[in-house]
Amino acid sequence: MQQQQNFQAQSQQGMMPQPPGVISTKDSLYLTDMMSWNLLAAKKAHFYASQCQDQQLKAEAEKCGQMHQRHYEKLLGHLNEHLNQQQPLNNMQ
C-alpha cells in the first residue's frame, strides 16, 4: 500500500527538477535506441517524401521527417551538453 502511494506521488509530480548528474548504462542504451529510431524514421520519411507524387502527402512526409530530425538533434544536444559538463571533472583527475 505504501509503495503504491509513493508511486502515485512520484507520478503526480511530473518531471524531475534537475536531471541526474550521471547517465546509467540502462539510460545510455535507451538514449542510443531513441536516437537510432529517430534517425531511421527521419531517413524513411525523407525517402518516402522523395517518392511521393501527391504534394500534400509529400509535404506531410517532409514534416514528419523534420520532426524526427529535430528530436534526434535535441537528444544529441543534451548528450553533448552532458559530456561538456563532465570534461572538466575528468581533466582534474
Side-chain angles (χ1 to χ4, degrees):
M1 184 77 159
Q2 181 67 27
Q3 288 176 337
Q4 187 178 18
Q5 289 174 343
N6 287 342
F7 177 74
Q8 287 174 345
Q10 288 174 352
S11 63
Q12 288 174 353
Q13 290 175 352
M15 296 186 335
M16 283 193 252
Q18 286 251 311
V22 175
I23 296 177
S24 70
T25 301
K26 185 176 180 179
D27 290 339
S28 176
L29 292 171
Y30 178 75
L31 289 168
T32 300
D33 285 346
M34 254 328 240
M35 290 181 71
S36 297
W37 297 330
N38 276 293
L39 185 59
L40 180 61
K43 287 179 178 182
K44 284 185 175 186
H46 288 299
F47 172 76
Y48 294 142
S50 73
Q51 302 297 311
C52 267
Q53 301 292 323
D54 184 326
Q55 294 302 311
Q56 285 181 319
L57 287 176
K58 184 176 189 151
E60 289 302 316
E62 282 294 338
K63 277 178 30 181
C64 180
Q66 291 168 0
M67 176 195 67
H68 285 292
Q69 187 172 346
R70 279 192 311 273
H71 291 173
Y72 174 85
E73 290 170 354
K74 191 171 214 174
L75 287 168
L76 186 62
H78 286 306
L79 289 174
N80 284 336
E81 186 178 311
H82 180 77
L83 286 174
N84 289 338
Q85 290 174 357
Q86 295 299 314
Q87 284 178 352
L89 295 175
N90 292 338
N91 290 338
M92 292 176 72
Q93 294 177 352

